[in-house]
Amino acid sequence: MSYQQIERMTPAAVPARVGQGTAVEQSRAVAEVQAAVLVARQFPRNEAACIAKMQTACAQKELAQRAFFRFPRGSSNVSGETIQLAKELARCWGNIQFGVAELRRDEEYGESEMQAWAWDMESNERSSTTFIVPHARWANGQAQKLADFRDVYENNANNGARRLREMIFTVLPVWYIEQAKTACTKTLSSGAGDVPRPQRIAEAIGAFEGIGITTDQIETKLGRPSAKWTDMDLGQLQVIFQSIQRGEVTADEEFPAPRVTADEITGTAGKTEA
């Protein structure tokens, strides 16, 4: 074992003297937590009101369009719920605190130690996770080291947001999350209220044509012609379009170009020998 490895395993020395400012901050933090727990116990959540708030929030198109994500992993795409939905559900449920913090940044080894947590102060259920984020980004089949401080910050924030989402969902009831997902899906499927479906289909086609995706590519992906697209199809297209706009997935990954055979290249496809 090298000296550097031993040095990393040795915990840093803790100062024996605590400054006045640090002591005041520690006392303030303890008092703040105690007050939050006391308020949560004195004013417990009304679950019926929380559900009503959640239904109202998920009925908003702006939230529904940001409620789900898609990103590539290997030869397939991964989809799920976003941190924006998780935070909104925590707000509606009430009496929940959550956060993510960078505990330590090691420039020598190019990594940050971070922690994400969520705490239901009413039920006293707390979930937390500590994880290491390398200062690197996977691109072109290899890890590329991040040198710019802003890139490191954004990389840490993205990784922290994913862990924070899971911590929030851990302390929320499963049935509550499922109801919210159903409500958001319904909002996406219902579209723009009184706008006829043919008009919404035309708007969807126009939006995708603006980023270089043809109608044929969309029809191939959905497995049916545009005239037969359902409300669920249009909702799925909204999620895909928003994910492309946010950079979570590329247009080429969602709509890969059809493979060209050797016969098609040489012009012999469909011809028979005389």
Side-chain angles (χ1 to χ4, degrees):
M1 182 177 292
S2 65
Y3 173 78
Q4 289 80 3
Q5 290 174 318
I6 297 175
E7 185 181 39
R8 292 190 70 191
M9 295 175 61
T10 305
V14 179
R17 184 182 66 83
V18 177
Q20 182 178 3
T22 301
V24 170
E25 179 61 24
Q26 290 175 342
S27 299
R28 184 202 62 78
V30 171
E32 184 177 292
V33 170
Q34 291 176 339
V37 172
L38 181 61
V39 170
R41 297 293 176 84
Q42 290 180 339
F43 301 96
R45 67 176 61 91
N46 182 331
E47 292 192 3
C50 295
I51 295 173
K53 289 172 62 177
M54 176 269 291
Q55 295 284 358
T56 300
C58 293
Q60 308 307 310
K61 183 177 66 174
E62 291 75 13
L63 174 63
Q65 290 178 342
R66 302 183 66 188
F68 306 104
F69 67 84
R70 292 168 68 92
F71 65 87
R73 177 176 292 172
S75 59
S76 61
N77 289 320
V78 178
S79 60
E81 299 73 49
T82 62
I83 182 62
Q84 288 82 9
L85 178 61
K87 288 181 176 180
E88 183 63 19
L89 295 185
R91 182 191 69 83
C92 295
W93 192 241
N95 287 341
I96 288 182
Q97 290 189 355
F98 54 84
V100 60
E102 184 178 7
L103 304 179
R104 181 181 61 88
R105 179 176 297 190
D106 193 329
E107 297 293 351
E108 180 181 357
Y109 292 94
E111 62 185 27
S112 292
E113 182 179 1
M114 303 186 67
Q115 183 182 66
W117 57 274
W119 182 21
D120 186 333
M121 295 173 292
E122 186 175 323
S123 64
N124 200 29
E125 181 179 358
R126 192 177 192 277
S127 181
S128 66
T129 179
T130 303
F131 52 97
I132 299 297
V133 179
H135 297 168
R137 181 181 293 116
W138 189 261
N140 300 323
Q142 60 181 355
Q144 298 180 354
K145 186 176 180 180
L146 301 177
D148 187 87
F149 291 133
R150 181 175 180 178
D151 290 339
V152 172
Y153 164 76
E154 292 178 349
N155 185 57
N156 288 350
N158 290 335
N159 281 273
R162 289 197 290 269
R163 267 70 168 199
L164 179 59
R165 177 193 64 213
E166 298 306 317
M167 295 303 99
I168 293 175
F169 282 154
T170 299
V171 300
L172 289 175
V174 174
W175 56 265
Y176 177 74
I177 300 172
E178 292 301 319
Q179 286 187 16
K181 291 163 57 178
T182 301
C184 286
T185 302
K186 181 179 179 181
T187 300
L188 290 174
S189 302
S190 62
D194 297 332
V195 178
R197 187 184 300 170
Q199 181 178 340
R200 291 161 49 205
I201 292 175
E203 292 174 351
I205 292 175
F208 277 97
E209 285 180 345
I211 57 175
I213 305 300
T214 66
T215 305
D216 289 341
Q217 289 176 287
I218 305 175
E219 290 177 340
T220 300
K221 185 176 185 65
L222 296 180
R224 56 176 64 91
S226 59
K228 295 184 178 181
W229 289 352
T230 65
D231 290 334
M232 289 299 296
D233 291 333
L234 292 171
Q236 180 184 355
L237 289 177
Q238 287 191 47
V239 174
I240 294 173
F241 185 80
Q242 293 293 331
S243 296
I244 293 175
Q245 293 292 89
R246 292 194 294 264
E248 298 166 347
V249 66
T250 66
D252 291 337
E253 289 165 338
E254 283 289 349
F255 303 92
R259 293 184 176 180
V260 180
T261 65
D263 290 341
E264 290 174 333
I265 295 175
T266 58
T268 59
K271 295 182 179 180
T272 59
E273 295 184 0

